[in-house]
Amino acid sequence: MIPCFDFCKGGVSLKEGSEEWKEMTRKVIEALESHGCFLLTYDKIIPKGVRGEMFNDKNNTIVPLTEAFGLDEVPSSDAAQTFTNLMWPQGNQPFSEAVKGMSLKMIELNCLIQKMIVEGYGLPQRYISDVENMNSTSFVRLVKYEVPETKSAPIVNPHTDRSSSLTILCDNGVQGLQVLSKDGKWIELQIPQHGFVVIVGDILKAWSNGRLRAAPHRVMVSGDTERYSFVLFAMPKGEMVIEVPYELVDNEIHPLRYRSFNCGEYFNYYYENPIENTLEIFAGL
Ligand SMILES: O=C(O)CCC(=O)C(=O)O
Ligand SMILES: [Fe+2]
């Protein structure tokens, strides 16, 4: 069973450093070690109107998405505006603002979770800068999944998110995302309304010495409604060197599993070698 957490208590966001926050950091680590993902309700973070604008029928029927659009660095660039102008030459400011607003909030959420990871492992605060570097760039993917003709094949094949440290996504309520459990079963996720799913990518797996699991996932869509998803990949820049904190290494249970590596070299490697287990082959010891 994939756990579902709430980062609010009594309608108020958990206070950093509070007992509830500490308890939550432990639960987050446990979920990411066992499943590589967790579900999240966090009503506070994205105003309902913004999410509504993102997935509303007016926009969905107009957006001529056939598969996916990727937007680089949405918060700090005019990517959202350029994309909107392309889709709606007559303009659609609410949509453009929704893309930007969602991206910003999801980046905020990502930083919060990464901080929880540092604290949950009891690592010194200086590792916060590692975490910031692992998330110093972002990529947003807007995906539309047509109702499939055959319902037995995945629309998105099983994979781990290789260039991201964490992936956060939400959808329009039409489910279809599945994760592979450690014992080899596909589990269909029920992303809560107004909620998210958080998935560990290869980069964070390597940095955590393989303690956090990069969950393999796929998309299978059935039913007769199109699925839309909004996916935010938090990623390092190519120049970052991933080096496992020595505090996460011990000789008994957690011997060092990955050598230090340059992210740009890893990205190039898997573009040239689109194989499974790329991380293990590239940096595994
Ligand atoms: O759209 C989804 O639910 C998942 C997409 C995904 O796994 C990806 O873009 O890497
Ligand atoms: Fe993915």
Side-chain angles (χ1 to χ4, degrees):
M1 184 75 173
I2 307 295
C4 183
F5 301 136
D6 189 346
F7 284 178
C8 289
K9 196 173 174 224
V12 181
S13 301
L14 296 184
K15 199 162 161 278
E16 276 184 51
S18 65
E19 276 314 308
E20 282 98 357
W21 159 274
K22 286 184 193 147
E23 175 66 20
M24 187 59 76
T25 65
R26 285 191 283 274
K27 288 187 190 163
V28 161
I29 297 239
E30 204 178 292
L32 296 182
E33 287 189 346
S34 319
H35 307 286
C37 64
F38 63 86
L39 299 164
L40 178 66
T41 51
Y42 193 17
D43 277 355
K44 278 264 162 294
I45 197 141
I46 295 183
K48 294 214 166 59
V50 171
R51 190 189 276 255
E53 188 58 43
M54 195 58 240
F55 292 125
N56 81 14
D57 289 344
K58 170 175 64 86
N59 289 336
N60 287 352
T61 44
I62 297 170
V63 173
L65 288 181
T66 48
E67 35 181 69
F69 276 92
L71 308 175
D72 258 325
E73 299 283 12
V74 169
S76 60
S77 75
D78 54 9
Q81 189 64 53
T82 310
F83 172 74
T84 307
N85 293 346
L86 188 75
M87 292 297 147
W88 293 274
Q90 74 285 9
N92 187 346
Q93 203 54 25
F95 183 82
S96 159
E97 276 164 22
V99 171
K100 217 161 177 157
M102 295 263 296
S103 309
L104 266 170
K105 292 295 180 185
M106 284 161 84
I107 287 171
E108 232 175 88
L109 185 54
N110 172 66
C111 293
L112 190 77
I113 295 166
Q114 304 265 11
K115 237 172 160 180
M116 286 181 161
I117 293 170
V118 171
E119 293 194 25
Y121 276 127
L123 294 171
Q125 285 298 309
R126 66 190 149 83
Y127 285 112
I128 293 285
S129 69
D130 262 19
V131 162
E132 280 166 2
N133 288 337
M134 271 192 288
N135 302 287
S136 58
T137 174
S138 65
F139 183 75
V140 164
R141 190 179 277 162
L142 302 168
V143 197
K144 174 184 181 177
Y145 298 98
E146 300 280 1
V147 174
E149 278 162 21
T150 58
K151 311 225 183 276
S152 52
I155 300 191
V156 175
N157 284 324
H159 65 282
T160 57
D161 290 341
R162 288 187 290 188
S163 43
S164 74
S165 48
L166 266 193
T167 303
I168 302 183
L169 72 88
C170 56
D171 62 21
N172 63 336
V174 178
Q175 306 293 337
L177 181 60
Q178 302 181 345
V179 292
L180 191 64
S181 68
K182 275 186 178 165
D183 57 4
K185 294 195 185 73
W186 285 105
I187 303 174
E188 174 135 351
L189 296 179
Q190 296 296 326
I191 304 176
Q193 211 194 0
H194 309 304
F196 306 90
V197 55
V198 176
I199 305 175
V200 173
D202 281 7
I203 298 293
L204 189 57
K205 177 187 178 186
W207 182 85
S208 70
N209 198 25
R211 292 182 184 218
L212 302 179
R213 178 170 181 259
H217 51 284
R218 68 180 185 184
V219 179
M220 303 268 285
V221 180
S222 56
D224 48 16
T225 317
E226 283 150 350
R227 172 165 195 266
Y228 285 82
S229 63
F230 187 105
V231 192
L232 184 120
F233 302 93
M235 306 182 306
K237 295 206 174 77
E239 65 257 27
M240 183 177 183
V241 173
I242 297 293
E243 190 172 351
V244 174
Y246 75 87
E247 291 88 342
L248 295 181
V249 181
D250 60 58
N251 286 336
E252 287 87 47
I253 310 174
H254 304 104
L256 184 64
R257 277 186 58 187
Y258 299 100
R259 66 172 174 86
S260 307
F261 65 91
N262 171 281
C263 292
E265 284 170 18
Y266 176 55
F267 299 158
N268 289 340
Y269 182 81
Y270 76 65
Y271 280 125
E272 285 163 15
N273 303 276
I275 41 174
E276 272 183 50
N277 281 337
T278 330
L279 177 66
E280 309 308 315
I281 294 164
F282 180 77
L285 292 172

PDB file of all heavy atoms in Angstrom, residues 229-246:
ATOM      1  N   SER A 229      -1.786  15.016 -17.390  1.00  0.00           N
ATOM      2  CA  SER A 229      -0.939  15.123 -16.201  1.00  0.00           C
ATOM      3  C   SER A 229       0.010  16.308 -16.336  1.00  0.00           C
ATOM      4  O   SER A 229       0.324  16.757 -17.447  1.00  0.00           O
ATOM      5  CB  SER A 229      -0.179  13.824 -15.936  1.00  0.00           C
ATOM      6  OG  SER A 229       0.696  13.545 -16.988  1.00  0.00           O
ATOM      7  N   PHE A 230       0.427  16.788 -15.194  1.00  0.00           N
ATOM      8  CA  PHE A 230       1.353  17.918 -15.095  1.00  0.00           C
ATOM      9  C   PHE A 230       2.520  17.395 -14.269  1.00  0.00           C
ATOM     10  O   PHE A 230       2.366  17.075 -13.098  1.00  0.00           O
ATOM     11  CB  PHE A 230       0.655  19.071 -14.370  1.00  0.00           C
ATOM     12  CG  PHE A 230       1.434  20.355 -14.351  1.00  0.00           C
ATOM     13  CD1 PHE A 230       1.064  21.414 -15.171  1.00  0.00           C
ATOM     14  CD2 PHE A 230       2.528  20.520 -13.512  1.00  0.00           C
ATOM     15  CE1 PHE A 230       1.772  22.614 -15.148  1.00  0.00           C
ATOM     16  CE2 PHE A 230       3.242  21.715 -13.497  1.00  0.00           C
ATOM     17  CZ  PHE A 230       2.860  22.765 -14.315  1.00  0.00           C
ATOM     18  N   VAL A 231       3.675  17.268 -14.926  1.00  0.00           N
ATOM     19  CA  VAL A 231       4.805  16.590 -14.291  1.00  0.00           C
ATOM     20  C   VAL A 231       5.952  17.580 -14.122  1.00  0.00           C
ATOM     21  O   VAL A 231       6.351  18.229 -15.091  1.00  0.00           O
ATOM     22  CB  VAL A 231       5.300  15.419 -15.176  1.00  0.00           C
ATOM     23  CG1 VAL A 231       6.268  14.530 -14.396  1.00  0.00           C
ATOM     24  CG2 VAL A 231       4.146  14.600 -15.733  1.00  0.00           C
ATOM     25  N   LEU A 232       6.478  17.676 -12.912  1.00  0.00           N
ATOM     26  CA  LEU A 232       7.630  18.546 -12.693  1.00  0.00           C
ATOM     27  C   LEU A 232       8.842  17.695 -12.304  1.00  0.00           C
ATOM     28  O   LEU A 232       8.790  16.964 -11.318  1.00  0.00           O
ATOM     29  CB  LEU A 232       7.344  19.555 -11.588  1.00  0.00           C
ATOM     30  CG  LEU A 232       8.516  20.532 -11.440  1.00  0.00           C
ATOM     31  CD1 LEU A 232       8.073  21.963 -11.679  1.00  0.00           C
ATOM     32  CD2 LEU A 232       9.184  20.416 -10.097  1.00  0.00           C
ATOM     33  N   PHE A 233       9.869  17.776 -13.138  1.00  0.00           N
ATOM     34  CA  PHE A 233      11.112  17.062 -12.843  1.00  0.00           C
ATOM     35  C   PHE A 233      12.090  18.068 -12.248  1.00  0.00           C
ATOM     36  O   PHE A 233      12.401  19.077 -12.895  1.00  0.00           O
ATOM     37  CB  PHE A 233      11.751  16.500 -14.123  1.00  0.00           C
ATOM     38  CG  PHE A 233      10.852  15.558 -14.885  1.00  0.00           C
ATOM     39  CD1 PHE A 233      10.029  16.022 -15.913  1.00  0.00           C
ATOM     40  CD2 PHE A 233      10.825  14.198 -14.590  1.00  0.00           C
ATOM     41  CE1 PHE A 233       9.205  15.164 -16.619  1.00  0.00           C
ATOM     42  CE2 PHE A 233       9.999  13.329 -15.293  1.00  0.00           C
ATOM     43  CZ  PHE A 233       9.185  13.814 -16.310  1.00  0.00           C
ATOM     44  N   ALA A 234      12.563  17.807 -11.021  1.00  0.00           N
ATOM     45  CA  ALA A 234      13.592  18.672 -10.425  1.00  0.00           C
ATOM     46  C   ALA A 234      14.931  18.003 -10.686  1.00  0.00           C
ATOM     47  O   ALA A 234      15.115  16.824 -10.357  1.00  0.00           O
ATOM     48  CB  ALA A 234      13.351  18.830  -8.940  1.00  0.00           C
ATOM     49  N   MET A 235      15.848  18.751 -11.292  1.00  0.00           N
ATOM     50  CA  MET A 235      17.085  18.125 -11.783  1.00  0.00           C
ATOM     51  C   MET A 235      18.314  18.962 -11.439  1.00  0.00           C
ATOM     52  O   MET A 235      18.217  20.167 -11.246  1.00  0.00           O
ATOM     53  CB  MET A 235      17.017  18.047 -13.317  1.00  0.00           C
ATOM     54  CG  MET A 235      15.778  17.369 -13.834  1.00  0.00           C
ATOM     55  SD  MET A 235      15.765  17.244 -15.620  1.00  0.00           S
ATOM     56  CE  MET A 235      16.006  18.906 -16.130  1.00  0.00           C
ATOM     57  N   PRO A 236      19.474  18.309 -11.431  1.00  0.00           N
ATOM     58  CA  PRO A 236      20.722  19.065 -11.258  1.00  0.00           C
ATOM     59  C   PRO A 236      21.168  19.632 -12.608  1.00  0.00           C
ATOM     60  O   PRO A 236      20.742  19.148 -13.664  1.00  0.00           O
ATOM     61  CB  PRO A 236      21.718  17.990 -10.811  1.00  0.00           C
ATOM     62  CG  PRO A 236      21.180  16.718 -11.400  1.00  0.00           C
ATOM     63  CD  PRO A 236      19.700  16.862 -11.537  1.00  0.00           C
ATOM     64  N   LYS A 237      22.044  20.619 -12.562  1.00  0.00           N
ATOM     65  CA  LYS A 237      22.680  21.077 -13.806  1.00  0.00           C
ATOM     66  C   LYS A 237      23.782  20.073 -14.151  1.00  0.00           C
ATOM     67  O   LYS A 237      24.265  19.342 -13.269  1.00  0.00           O
ATOM     68  CB  LYS A 237      23.280  22.457 -13.615  1.00  0.00           C
ATOM     69  CG  LYS A 237      22.224  23.515 -13.356  1.00  0.00           C
ATOM     70  CD  LYS A 237      22.722  24.893 -13.793  1.00  0.00           C
ATOM     71  CE  LYS A 237      21.632  25.946 -13.680  1.00  0.00           C
ATOM     72  NZ  LYS A 237      21.383  26.409 -12.290  1.00  0.00           N
ATOM     73  N   GLY A 238      24.157  20.073 -15.421  1.00  0.00           N
ATOM     74  CA  GLY A 238      25.146  19.104 -15.898  1.00  0.00           C
ATOM     75  C   GLY A 238      26.451  19.135 -15.130  1.00  0.00           C
ATOM     76  O   GLY A 238      27.122  18.118 -14.983  1.00  0.00           O
ATOM     77  N   GLU A 239      26.815  20.318 -14.615  1.00  0.00           N
ATOM     78  CA  GLU A 239      28.153  20.394 -13.981  1.00  0.00           C
ATOM     79  C   GLU A 239      28.182  19.790 -12.567  1.00  0.00           C
ATOM     80  O   GLU A 239      29.250  19.605 -11.997  1.00  0.00           O
ATOM     81  CB  GLU A 239      28.672  21.834 -13.954  1.00  0.00           C
ATOM     82  CG  GLU A 239      27.870  22.794 -13.100  1.00  0.00           C
ATOM     83  CD  GLU A 239      26.959  23.704 -13.922  1.00  0.00           C
ATOM     84  OE1 GLU A 239      26.559  23.294 -15.042  1.00  0.00           O
ATOM     85  OE2 GLU A 239      26.624  24.797 -13.438  1.00  0.00           O
ATOM     86  N   MET A 240      27.027  19.473 -12.015  1.00  0.00           N
ATOM     87  CA  MET A 240      27.047  18.962 -10.634  1.00  0.00           C
ATOM     88  C   MET A 240      27.709  17.585 -10.544  1.00  0.00           C
ATOM     89  O   MET A 240      27.495  16.729 -11.397  1.00  0.00           O
ATOM     90  CB  MET A 240      25.625  18.848 -10.074  1.00  0.00           C
ATOM     91  CG  MET A 240      25.662  18.386  -8.626  1.00  0.00           C
ATOM     92  SD  MET A 240      24.091  18.295  -7.800  1.00  0.00           S
ATOM     93  CE  MET A 240      24.653  17.816  -6.165  1.00  0.00           C
ATOM     94  N   VAL A 241      28.495  17.419  -9.490  1.00  0.00           N
ATOM     95  CA  VAL A 241      29.081  16.103  -9.224  1.00  0.00           C
ATOM     96  C   VAL A 241      28.290  15.459  -8.084  1.00  0.00           C
ATOM     97  O   VAL A 241      28.107  16.070  -7.026  1.00  0.00           O
ATOM     98  CB  VAL A 241      30.571  16.234  -8.844  1.00  0.00           C
ATOM     99  CG1 VAL A 241      31.135  14.889  -8.393  1.00  0.00           C
ATOM    100  CG2 VAL A 241      31.357  16.791 -10.027  1.00  0.00           C
ATOM    101  N   ILE A 242      27.777  14.274  -8.344  1.00  0.00           N
ATOM    102  CA  ILE A 242      27.037  13.552  -7.304  1.00  0.00           C
ATOM    103  C   ILE A 242      28.027  12.736  -6.491  1.00  0.00           C
ATOM    104  O   ILE A 242      28.774  11.918  -7.047  1.00  0.00           O
ATOM    105  CB  ILE A 242      25.987  12.599  -7.934  1.00  0.00           C
ATOM    106  CG1 ILE A 242      24.940  13.384  -8.711  1.00  0.00           C
ATOM    107  CG2 ILE A 242      25.336  11.697  -6.869  1.00  0.00           C
ATOM    108  CD1 ILE A 242      24.038  14.265  -7.872  1.00  0.00           C
ATOM    109  N   GLU A 243      28.021  12.988  -5.196  1.00  0.00           N
ATOM    110  CA  GLU A 243      28.924  12.267  -4.320  1.00  0.00           C
ATOM    111  C   GLU A 243      28.132  11.844  -3.084  1.00  0.00           C
ATOM    112  O   GLU A 243      27.515  12.687  -2.420  1.00  0.00           O
ATOM    113  CB  GLU A 243      30.085  13.187  -3.938  1.00  0.00           C
ATOM    114  CG  GLU A 243      31.169  12.438  -3.243  1.00  0.00           C
ATOM    115  CD  GLU A 243      32.413  13.311  -3.022  1.00  0.00           C
ATOM    116  OE1 GLU A 243      32.480  14.441  -3.556  1.00  0.00           O
ATOM    117  OE2 GLU A 243      33.280  12.837  -2.285  1.00  0.00           O
ATOM    118  N   VAL A 244      28.119  10.570  -2.801  1.00  0.00           N
ATOM    119  CA  VAL A 244      27.336  10.068  -1.665  1.00  0.00           C
ATOM    120  C   VAL A 244      27.890  10.645  -0.361  1.00  0.00           C
ATOM    121  O   VAL A 244      29.098  10.557  -0.117  1.00  0.00           O
ATOM    122  CB  VAL A 244      27.428   8.516  -1.618  1.00  0.00           C
ATOM    123  CG1 VAL A 244      26.743   7.978  -0.368  1.00  0.00           C
ATOM    124  CG2 VAL A 244      26.835   7.897  -2.879  1.00  0.00           C
ATOM    125  N   PRO A 245      27.040  11.245   0.497  1.00  0.00           N
ATOM    126  CA  PRO A 245      27.525  11.707   1.813  1.00  0.00           C
ATOM    127  C   PRO A 245      28.094  10.518   2.585  1.00  0.00           C
ATOM    128  O   PRO A 245      27.465   9.460   2.633  1.00  0.00           O
ATOM    129  CB  PRO A 245      26.254  12.223   2.496  1.00  0.00           C
ATOM    130  CG  PRO A 245      25.283  12.498   1.395  1.00  0.00           C
ATOM    131  CD  PRO A 245      25.606  11.538   0.297  1.00  0.00           C
ATOM    132  N   TYR A 246      29.270  10.710   3.200  1.00  0.00           N
ATOM    133  CA  TYR A 246      29.885   9.545   3.860  1.00  0.00           C
ATOM    134  C   TYR A 246      29.048   9.057   5.034  1.00  0.00           C
ATOM    135  O   TYR A 246      29.092   7.905   5.429  1.00  0.00           O
ATOM    136  CB  TYR A 246      31.340   9.849   4.260  1.00  0.00           C
ATOM    137  CG  TYR A 246      31.473  10.741   5.471  1.00  0.00           C
ATOM    138  CD1 TYR A 246      31.476  10.202   6.754  1.00  0.00           C
ATOM    139  CD2 TYR A 246      31.584  12.133   5.329  1.00  0.00           C
ATOM    140  CE1 TYR A 246      31.578  11.020   7.870  1.00  0.00           C
ATOM    141  CE2 TYR A 246      31.672  12.957   6.442  1.00  0.00           C
ATOM    142  CZ  TYR A 246      31.655  12.397   7.702  1.00  0.00           C
ATOM    143  OH  TYR A 246      31.735  13.207   8.801  1.00  0.00           O
TER     144      TYR A 246
END
